[in-house]
Amino acid sequence: MLNLKKAIYFDCSAGASGDMILGSLLDLGVNLDDLNRELDKLPVKGFEVKLSKVNKRGVQANKADVLITEEDSPHRGLSCIKEIINESTLKNSIKDTALKIFTRLAEAEAKIHGTDVDKIHFHEVGAMDAIVDIVGASILIDMLKIEEVHVSAIHTGSGFITCQHGMLPVPAPATLELLKGLPIFSTDVKGELITPTGAAILSALGDSFGKMPLMKVERIGYGAGTKDFPIPNVIRACLGTLQYGRGKDIQADFEHDSQWVLECNIDDMNNEFVEHVMEELFQKGALDVYITPIQMKKNRPAIKLSVLYKKEDEGGLLPVIFRETTGIGVRIYPVEKVMLKRERRDVQTPWGTVTVKVCLLNGEVVNIAPEYEDCKRIAVQAGIPMKEVYRQALISING
């Protein structure tokens, strides 16, 4: 049975900022007047959200602007912001979301500046427009009844930015701290694509980061940034229903794992070397190694060597390829595995214990596989065909 949950997927190929996220959520069908009425529940005045349509490299998008109508203090601390949010008449769930985002931001700032969270005074992020961006995003997430938030790899931009502390590299230190552990990338696009506010919202609310989950997309919203780049400066929000559970709070029918593949084509190596190469790769952490027969240019027969692995093991695997094979280049790319849930059970045969791998779907056993090494060991020790050990293991697990 499918787990259908309302979810949103943010495509951050041009980064993200608070106003971009706000604009994209409004583009999903929420009335601007409804948002402003909710924001009026904050115990501070002198602001209003305005919305306009802009074109970014051929993509029409919402441009959300927070207009400040009264003089504002941009250097609020976390305690002041907490007081503003807690004294509002917003729903408790909205307050909790906004406080979660600001607390995460304060923790990142405190770590960078080497101080306590309670002593942090936000600069630009403490201004009223940033508060409205974060509280507004929290309101819209609630209005859209979003149960899960999923986020793509985040484009950071490159170069340097000027701030109160002087020239800083992109992404800024606090922004990078917020993105720690998340998939990010940089290209030759110069400028700050991901802001501290955008990073705080996405990192605090994201249930997963990377590829788009299996979902039925029902609405699409575009939120524009202020600057112009060689790429459309927009964030894309896809709203729909998940077709199976993938978030951290769902008992999913499948297990997910992000892994990597390293592969190369080889047409001039003695095939007797393959066994040794595979053994060396497994010793260096490879999860799987396999060979595919291929035909290369000039119709030369060759093999494609493929290695499945965790990213942290890459440094040990590459030297094996270049030292032990005749390959001179490799291809590297990420993959996502979707697997059945598995259990390991020990069963008794007339000749000894065999571990059996049991695969489940919705609690139902759909595959059973006795461990090869156990069956081989018992077959050799008992002097019987391995297929007989295998058969007895299946009888025991099914009995």
Side-chain angles (χ1 to χ4, degrees), residues 203 263 293 333:
S203 63
E263 65 182 26
Y333 53 89

Short mmCIF file of all heavy atoms in Angstrom, two decimals, residues 203 263 293 333:
data_model
loop_
_atom_site.label_atom_id
_atom_site.label_comp_id
_atom_site.label_asym_id
_atom_site.label_seq_id
_atom_site.Cartn_x
_atom_site.Cartn_y
_atom_site.Cartn_z
N SER A 203 17.90 23.82 5.31
CA SER A 203 18.58 22.82 6.15
C SER A 203 17.75 22.46 7.38
O SER A 203 17.82 21.33 7.88
CB SER A 203 19.96 23.33 6.58
OG SER A 203 19.85 24.49 7.39
N GLU A 263 33.74 3.68 -12.96
CA GLU A 263 33.84 2.71 -14.05
C GLU A 263 34.86 3.16 -15.09
O GLU A 263 35.13 4.35 -15.24
CB GLU A 263 32.48 2.48 -14.71
CG GLU A 263 31.89 3.68 -15.41
CD GLU A 263 30.52 3.40 -16.00
OE1 GLU A 263 29.82 2.51 -15.49
OE2 GLU A 263 30.15 4.09 -16.98
N PRO A 293 31.08 -7.20 -20.71
CA PRO A 293 31.72 -7.25 -22.03
C PRO A 293 31.17 -6.12 -22.92
O PRO A 293 29.96 -5.90 -22.98
CB PRO A 293 31.32 -8.61 -22.58
CG PRO A 293 30.82 -9.39 -21.40
CD PRO A 293 30.25 -8.39 -20.46
N TYR A 333 30.13 8.78 -10.88
CA TYR A 333 28.81 9.42 -10.78
C TYR A 333 28.03 8.82 -9.61
O TYR A 333 28.24 7.67 -9.23
CB TYR A 333 28.02 9.26 -12.09
CG TYR A 333 27.88 7.85 -12.59
CD1 TYR A 333 26.81 7.04 -12.19
CD2 TYR A 333 28.81 7.30 -13.48
CE1 TYR A 333 26.68 5.75 -12.66
CE2 TYR A 333 28.69 6.00 -13.95
CZ TYR A 333 27.62 5.23 -13.54
OH TYR A 333 27.49 3.94 -14.00
#
